[in-house]
Structure formats: C-alpha cells, structure tokens
Amino acid sequence: MTARPHRSMRRVLTAAVLLASLAALTPVAALADSGLAAVTVHSSPGGGQTYSLTVEVLLLMTAVTLLPAILLMMTAFTRIMIVLSILRQALGAGQTPPNQVLLGIALFLTLFVMAPVIDRINQQAVQPYVAGTLDAGAALEKAVVPLKTFMLGQTRESDIATFVRISGGKGYATPEDVPLTVLAPAFVTSELKTAFIIGFLIFIPFVIIDLVVASVLMSMGMMMLSPVLISLPFKLMLFVLVDGWSLVMGTLAASFYS
C-alpha cells in the first residue's frame, strides 16, 4: 500500500465520521443560524425561480448513508448485538425476544455507552464548526480524536499489530498515530472476540441446566420427551430470579469502561 492512497483513505474515513456526527447532532435551527442555507433561490430573467443546494448539505446527506457502517464498525453496537443474540440462543426460547426487540435494545444501549463520546465530539468539533470558530479541516481532526480514544481502549494490541502487518506498515510511535484504516478492522476483530467470550460465559449456566434435565429424564426412562421442552421453564425461571436482563445489560455497559 503506497503512502498517498493510505492518506486518501484516512481523509475519507475522517470526513465521514465528522459529517455523520454533524448529521446526527446538528439541528436545522443551528444550521440556519450559522448561515448554512440548505436551498438558495435565484430569480431568473423571465420571472421564474431556480433552486440550488449547497455543497455542504450534499455532503451531509451523503454522510447519512455511511451511518450504518459507522454504527457497526466504530461503536459498541456489534458487541452488544452479538451477546444478546447468544443469550437468546442459550435460553432456547426460539425467536423470543424477536429480532426487532433485540435490535432496539442494542441501539439504545449503544447510545448509552457512546453518550460520552458523542458529547465530546459535539463540544470539541460540531459546536465550534457551527459557530464558525473552526474550519472544516480542523473540525475533522477534532471529531476523530474522541472516537479513536474509545476504539483504542477496546482494541487489543495484537489485533492492531495484525492489520499493521497486513497493510505493510512498520508500526507507529504511539497508539494515537494509528490511522482509522487500520484501527477500524482491528476494533471490529477485538469486539467479535470479546463478544464471544462474554457469550461463552453466559451460555455455561444454561448448558448445565440442559445437562441436568437430560440426565434426569434418561434416568427416568423418559427418552421420548424432549429435554429442551422441560429445561426451558427452568432456564426462564433462573434467568428471572437472578434479574438476568439487568445483569447482562449492566455487565455489557460496564465492559466498555472497565
């Protein structure tokens, strides 16, 4: 990988992060106060009117399409969604809770976890840019810093080293020097690994219940009765008695700041 394409990819990712943050955080009124006109109207000589969009608004609208990728690649969403899916499989309750419920829980828990990062991006980059005290380039640099700090805190050094080696790099002096083109895939890899570790620990108690129920049924000669059918009420009862949802969500949220 040459230096010029590497810098270009870094600038594209950096611009996408800021533009997506602007799209999510900047209200329409603030854009109007800053003089960023979404549509300009020009009177034509024949008495008609023509309309034109500003480049900034076009960039913001384009950045909205990158929000799903940013949500998956640069936030806590991936870990939370995988753990909740494994929890549902461990319970053995089929499609309960349904996918829509798990997705809603994951989105709001992600918002809770990422709230400090979003606040820092808003204070350090978005608000100064809207107020006109920062130009776009400086705002881009400031917007990426809180997000990179969060991602570096969750990424294993071995995963970063793997992608540095794949990209042909020779390492970086400090973690802050790692570009987003290397940090993003390393972060996702670490999140997948952490999510499966948490899912494994959640799965163990439910597997023990399944083994105990299956052993009891075998000893009673009831081999035609499904162990899953008998163990499901016991797993649900255990999960409710220990306040399982609160424990799982609290542990997930705390795992990002431990």
Side-chain angles (χ1 to χ4, degrees):
M1 182 182 294
T2 61
R4 182 171 299 174
H6 189 77
R7 288 196 297 269
S8 300
M9 292 178 64
R10 181 180 180 183
R11 283 195 292 267
V12 169
L13 279 174
T14 304
V17 171
L18 177 65
L19 292 174
S21 301
L22 288 172
L25 296 175
T26 305
V28 176
L31 291 175
D33 293 339
S34 65
L36 181 59
V39 180
T40 56
V41 181
H42 303 282
S43 298
S44 60
Q49 292 179 335
T50 59
Y51 303 90
S52 63
L53 291 172
T54 60
V55 176
E56 291 88 347
V57 173
L58 288 176
L59 291 175
L60 289 176
M61 294 172 63
T62 304
V64 172
T65 62
L66 299 175
L67 284 177
I70 294 175
L71 179 66
L72 291 174
M73 296 285 290
M74 299 181 181
T75 67
F77 179 83
T78 299
R79 181 192 303 186
I80 295 171
M81 191 64 192
I82 291 176
V83 171
L84 292 179
S85 299
I86 293 176
L87 172 62
R88 183 175 65 179
Q89 282 189 320
L91 285 171
Q95 293 298 315
T96 304
N99 292 330
Q100 294 86 346
V101 174
L102 291 185
L103 182 61
I105 294 173
L107 284 173
F108 279 99
L109 195 55
T110 300
L111 182 61
F112 174 80
V113 172
M114 300 298 296
V117 178
I118 295 174
D119 288 340
R120 287 197 293 271
I121 293 175
N122 186 37
Q123 295 173 4
Q124 299 176 13
V126 177
Q127 293 303 325
Y129 175 74
V130 171
T133 57
L134 280 180
D135 58 13
L140 286 174
E141 296 295 332
K142 288 185 176 293
V144 175
V145 173
L147 191 59
K148 286 185 65 175
T149 302
F150 170 80
M151 295 171 66
L152 286 169
Q154 309 302 321
T155 307
R156 294 173 174 83
E157 293 184 3
S158 58
D159 293 327
I160 296 178
T162 298
F163 285 95
V164 170
R165 184 175 64 255
I166 293 173
S167 65
K170 298 182 179 179
Y172 302 93
T174 62
E176 289 74 17
D177 295 334
V178 179
L180 286 175
T181 51
V182 173
L183 182 57
F187 171 75
V188 173
T189 303
S190 290
E191 287 294 282
L192 291 174
K193 188 182 301 182
T194 303
F196 278 106
I197 292 174
I198 297 175
F200 169 76
L201 296 176
I202 291 175
F203 224 109
I204 291 177
F206 299 106
V207 171
I208 293 175
I209 293 177
D210 286 333
L211 290 175
V212 171
V213 171
S215 300
V216 172
L217 291 178
M218 287 287 291
S219 64
M220 295 175 63
M222 303 174 67
M223 292 177 290
M224 298 301 294
L225 185 61
S226 174
V228 176
L229 182 64
I230 304 301
S231 64
L232 178 57
F234 290 99
K235 290 190 287 187
L236 293 177
M237 181 181 65
L238 173 66
F239 193 67
V240 171
L241 288 178
V242 300
D243 198 9
W245 287 111
S246 178
L247 287 175
V248 170
M249 293 187 189
T251 303
L252 274 174
S255 66
F256 291 95
Y257 295 100
S258 59

